[in-house]
Amino acid sequence: MSAEERDMRAAEFVLGTLDGEQRRAFEKQMDHDPALRDLVNLWEARLVGLNDTTSVVQPPQRVWIEIERVIAPGAVDDAVQAPLKTPWWQSLMLWRMTTAAALLALLAVLVPVLTQGPVQGPEALPVYDVVLRDTQDQPQWMVVCDWRAREVAVSRVAAAAPAAGKAHELWLVRGEGVAPISLGVLSGNEIQRSLPANATWRDTKALAVSLEPAGGSPTGVPTGPVLYAAPVSI
Amino acid sequence: MTETQAGSTLEYLVARCAMGDRIAFADLYQATSAKLFAVLLRILKNEEMAEDALQDVFIKVWHKATEYHVGKGAVMTWLLSIARYRAIDLLRRAKTAVQVDAEEGLEERAANEPDVAELAGRAVDNARLNTCLDELEGPRRACLVLAYCEGYTHDELSQRLGSPVGTIKSWIRRGLKVLKACLDGEGDYRG
């Protein structure tokens, strides 16, 4: 297929004129042809303004209630009082907010440490620098995690102070199904903390900062959304 | 970036949805569902189907929020695309399943639509797209708008405009090429 033909097919897919079978075939093709998906995204951006000819219509309340019921069975109708579908710290989605670049940077730090020889038994513990980024991928906190001295040093890079009545709390995230360990509320620009006895570097998958009520999580596990995070192992 | 500023952007809400934040998801629904519902209604012409489709779209958004990235375009573009594709899939499926008599179905749909001339002249807010659409003659412009906004197939356009399918197809391709040259020549058309 010529480049022009590919582009026209992408345009017709976006326009919607392909028949059902052609659409399905095209979607399959897009799955393993990122360049084709890019063409589609470009056409989506070109044509999206055509939606301006459609006004807005408020959907009935029952649609939202049904959506809520599907994504969070047993949830109350008021989303504000509903619990999260699964706590973010149990979700692998957390790792996806962190970029490959962050991982590479981390490996650059971790690999020399972990491959240093000769290994001297349990004393060969890592010390690593972690940059916690926000959802826009901007660095907000620097954390030095020293597993030998069992200390954590946190420096504010750019993170804004939380709103009144709210706090930023730092967590060691230990993967799915295991509660994170709190390292306490972050206040000020330089924070030193000892690592709790139950924290081990092998179990620690990520560091994250969540938004909590003033004084920190009342339950011992994160109750608010994660604002900043970074993986610390793969 | 303060939290308030960040919270006001759709990008931020989607990023929070990706982390399982249901409050952000409710905000996203609040901010976008009326537009998406209107788009679905316009293609499906049936309230019940549009409600079901809207539900499917948001459930998909909840699960696919992790796959959104800025490279896919603006959040609203991403959402509108998911909604339109869902509606078009339902439309095509309904046709195959029920074997609707094309003409009858078309008449029914046409009865609820503005006429071609009115559609062809209808303006969009996006000034650049408007300028570029103005370069297309009536039926060519109508083909693109009817296909995009109403979910018409080549066959339906052929019946509606009384021109052979081959003509419709070439009008559409020609129209798409003119639009692309015009929009891309104008620089950033995403604004």
Side-chain angles (χ1 to χ4, degrees), chain A residues 135-136 160, chain B residues 1-13 16:
Chain A
T135 51
Q136 319 273 316
Chain B
M1 184 189 71
T2 69
E3 280 163 22
T4 333
Q5 281 171 330
S8 66
T9 69
L10 295 179
E11 277 79 6
Y12 189 74
L13 291 178
R16 297 282 285 269

Side-chain angles (χ1 to χ4, degrees), chain A residues 7 16 44 54 83 93 225, chain B residues 16 18-19 22 35 85 92 180:
Chain A
D7 193 45
E44 285 169 351
T54 310
M93 288 175 183
Chain B
R16 297 282 285 269
M19 294 177 250
R22 294 233 338 262
K35 181 73 192 180
Y85 298 154
R92 304 286 178 264
K180 183 183 175 184

Side-chain angles (χ1 to χ4, degrees), chain B residues 118-139:
Chain B
E118 203 268 321
L119 260 178
R122 202 182 273 190
V124 296
D125 295 341
N126 184 317
R128 205 167 280 146
L129 181 61
N130 232 359
T131 312
C132 294
L133 281 170
D134 284 342
E135 292 191 12
L136 299 172
E137 285 166 39

Side-chain angles (χ1 to χ4, degrees), chain A residues 54-79:
Chain A
T54 310
S55 53
V56 295
V57 182
Q58 283 298 338
Q61 185 63 28
R62 62 176 167 270
V63 178
W64 174 247
I65 291 169
E66 191 56 25
I67 291 169
E68 280 271 83
R69 202 185 56 76
V70 172
I71 65 167
V76 295
D77 292 346
D78 182 359

